[in-house]
Amino acid sequence: MKVRNPRTGEYDYNLQEDSTQSVVEKALSIRSAQKEWQNKTITERVAVLKKWLASFTNFQSEIASQLAVDTARKRISEVETGGIIGLMQAWSYRAPQLYNPPAERTSASANTVQIGQQWIPYGLVGVISPWNFPLLLALIDTIPALMAGCGVLLKPSEVTPRFMDGLEKSIKAVPELNAVLKLVRGGAKAGKAVVNTVDAICFTGSVPTGKKIGAVCAERFIPAFLELGGKDPAIVLSDADLEVATDAVLRSCVGATGQACQSLERIYVAENIYDDFVEQITKKATAVTMTTNPEEGQMGPLIFEQQAEKIQEQINDAIAKGAKILSGGKVENINGGLWCRPTVLTNVNHKMSVMVEETFGPLIPIMPFRTEEQALEWANDSIFGLSASVFSKDREKAIEIASQIEAGAISINDGSLTNKVYDAEKNSFKESGINGSRMGDAGFLRFFRKKALLIQTAHPETMAHFEEKSS
Ligand code: ADP
């Protein structure tokens, strides 16, 4: 499989795809080692994670430079690899605190029975991840699953596969880890093979693919932890600090070129501050610099060609239906890469795809609202419910509005805070996902099934217990 370079547009990398047979063999190999892994103490598994942390650090600059080619982002790739080290450190510390099956006790409902409780990890977890944050989203579920004692078959996106070479070296340097964590290369076919062979799935990606995977998991009767798309709204209340709101909304909409599920994608601004908000954010959007020279600038090209087409379609649809473009406004080909400058759109409404479909690009469509009820109605008029933002100087008011938004995480006076806060549990609402939170303690605890050992200490009841009696 030939892979496109997002900066040059050239197909300059060969991805050796795993066949279905190879996926099955990797799964069998992990399964043969997983019981021993599960039987280790949590402290022993943490010791292996720490060895991985050391080997990951050895390969960190190699992984970061491969990731920088995959995503055409140098600084974010450095932050992303640093983030993995943070995740490894955080789980090394937190997992042993959380692994705490309750001590044997007497049942409250049957007092001759002793209860012993065991936590049993899923044997083999499949992790399937997307191209926007290739390394982070490959490992965010993998690390806690491994700490729980699961084996992991990991298939990152075929769109951004270069970083797997360095990552695989870091894994192979730790034999105990290499036995229970294997990478799968390829696209949908390899992904399907993973779904068909594991005991649980953690998937991050689009809603349509998530639904397909969820259906297969339902058929196979295995849990599917699905983290899907978003169309995150921001509500900017009339008393919001405009400097704060415009800075945060801009960064959240166009940071990483808008290619983040938790980026803000539609902005509702109180009528009385609407004109000032639009003027300020347009000024700031126009000042954002592009990394056409990879050593300079703030915003890179679009990673995935097909996404660039969708972004252009949304802009065209909005213009055709009466939207005004105040900055940016088109996907441009510069030296083979596909670029879109921060694009402020006004005169938009929910009949336009830009207000209802996921964009995954640096667009900032803004609508004025008259009442808070109207803002909430629009914010909740979506099939998605990933996250959202509220801006106000009045903390209580912001919380009151946030409580009424149908989404799993609401940033107050900022945007996309879930990209830096990993220790707050959150569930996606509506089609943005399903099942246990990847963030917070649940990110680890969801990989266990609770098993009860019920020990009778008295003589068991006999059939006499069922004897019918006339009263
Ligand atoms: P995106 O990466 O644009 O969000 P997808 O949701 O289609 O797009 O892809 C996310 C991940 O799912 C990728 O690793 C991709 O290879 C994988 N994938 C795509 N289709 C399937 C499928 N039917 N079964 C399993 N994995 C799939």
Side-chain angles (χ1 to χ4, degrees), residues 174-187:
V174 186
E176 307 101 297
L177 178 74
N178 187 42
V180 289
L181 169 60
K182 303 219 177 281
L183 296 184
V184 168
R185 290 175 168 81

Side-chain angles (χ1 to χ4, degrees), residues 128-131 155-158 186-188 191-192 195 203-206 209-210 212-213 304 307:
I128 299 181
S129 51
W131 49 260
K155 196 208 79 65
S157 171
E158 68 279 21
K192 281 182 197 163
V195 179
F203 170 79
T204 312
S206 64
T209 306
K212 278 188 216 160
I213 290 176
F304 191 32
Q307 200 64 38

